[in-house]
Amino acid sequence: MIDIVLFAAFPYMAVLVAVLVGVYRYFNDRFSYSSFSSQFLENRALFWGSVSWHYAVIVILLAHVLALVFSGGWATLIAAPVRLYTLEVIGLALSASALLGLVLLILRRLLNARIFTVTSTMDWVLLAALLAQVVLGLWTALFYRWGSDWSLATVAPWLVSLAKLSPQTELVASLPWVVKLHMLGGFAIIALFPFTRLVHLVTFPITYLWRPYQVVVWNWRKKQT
Ligand code: HEM
């Protein structure tokens, strides 16, 4: 029963909350999406934290998606041990970079009084969720070895079953709790999307493609001739 709640009901609820609240806020409360920028307050910690976090997490999430969408190709890729080890080492290095970057971004908000002031409760919730998610992912990679392999027969088909609207929770029922928490964390972060600054991922820069041109109206008085 608990498996059905956590690995069938919760993922759908998370996606539903993300879509409904996201659409609602887009039409009713659009300008509240802009979060307080802290960039002009200081720049160095922001640069190192932001670069190590963003580049690493983008590649890691891309690898998650590729392994899921092309699981056949991914299985062939990691079939040779040397390629599996290489990918895992790259994964670990990227995870370390993401963790370091995130810790820097958190410390910067904690230690600088002015930046602390412009940090909302939701910013803290998001930062804590991301930190927990990266630690759980790293933990999985380190202590439940070769996740890029065993996840192809467990996590990937479970996600596919969710997408097909016929959840097969038995596929993930016997995984260790750390791994389960990492999976649930992924959906919790999806649910947090419309409540936090994560929404920048879907609003920027895509809307520039269909947004009307900005019209600048000069309001100077005409020269008297
Ligand atoms: C439902 C969503 C998610 C699922 C099912 C999932 C699943 C997994 C699995 C099975 C692994 C082990 C891979 C391995 O051992 O090589 C892993 C690793 C990892 N995940 Fe996720 N994940 C999800 C979302 C996320 C998110 C949102 C983040 C970051 C914000 C994240 C960050 C990581 C990190 C840093 C690792 C360690 C990678 C490595 O060192 O190889 N995951 N994830």
Side-chain angles (χ1 to χ4, degrees):
M1 178 63 192
I2 182 86
D3 281 340
I4 295 182
V5 173
L6 294 179
F7 300 108
F10 178 67
Y12 288 126
M13 264 174 50
V15 173
L16 210 65
V17 166
V19 173
L20 292 183
V21 179
V23 168
Y24 174 82
R25 274 191 67 185
Y26 185 79
F27 287 109
N28 292 286
D29 199 15
R30 194 175 310 177
F31 295 105
S32 68
Y33 273 153
S34 146
S35 60
F36 294 121
S37 170
S38 57
Q39 188 173 15
F40 65 96
L41 297 176
E42 59 83 42
N43 245 328
R44 213 153 18 145
L46 176 64
F47 175 79
W48 288 110
S50 184
V51 168
S52 351
W53 161 253
H54 279 100
Y55 283 103
V57 85
I58 285 170
V59 178
I60 289 172
L61 290 180
L62 202 66
H64 277 58
V65 173
L66 286 178
L68 173 69
V69 177
F70 304 105
S71 35
W74 190 267
T76 315
L77 182 69
I78 60 170
V82 68
R83 290 199 296 261
L84 172 67
Y85 301 154
T86 309
L87 274 178
E88 291 279 345
V89 169
I90 295 173
L92 287 177
L94 287 169
S95 305
S97 161
L99 184 61
L100 186 83
L102 193 56
V103 167
L104 269 178
L105 291 172
I106 292 173
L107 285 179
R108 162 181 170 269
R109 287 186 179 271
L110 276 177
L111 300 179
N112 185 317
R114 291 193 302 170
I115 300 176
F116 187 84
T117 315
V118 294
T119 304
S120 70
T121 310
M122 263 343 244
D123 287 336
W124 289 120
V125 171
L126 176 64
L127 288 169
L130 291 173
L131 185 63
Q133 187 66 0
V134 172
V135 169
L136 288 166
L138 201 49
W139 189 320
T140 303
L142 282 175
F143 301 113
Y144 301 103
R145 276 289 161 81
W146 321 131
S148 46
D149 183 34
W150 53 250
S151 62
L152 293 179
T154 50
V155 182
W158 164 67
L159 287 171
V160 170
S161 77
L162 284 176
K164 287 183 176 163
L165 303 183
S166 72
Q168 287 178 267
T169 55
E170 65 281 3
L171 286 166
V172 290
S174 56
L175 288 177
W177 268 104
V178 169
V179 182
K180 286 182 173 173
L181 284 175
H182 184 69
M183 286 150 42
L184 293 174
F187 282 101
I189 290 172
I190 289 177
L192 279 177
F193 243 81
F195 300 100
T196 62
R197 58 174 64 206
L198 268 187
V199 89
H200 72 278
L201 292 179
V202 283
T203 55
F204 174 83
I206 309 165
T207 47
Y208 285 100
L209 295 177
W210 56 83
R211 191 189 76 175
Y213 291 116
Q214 204 171 340
V215 179
V216 178
V217 180
W218 294 102
N219 208 10
W220 291 340
R221 250 187 226 162
K222 271 195 183 146
K223 251 190 199 160
Q224 301 288 330
T225 46

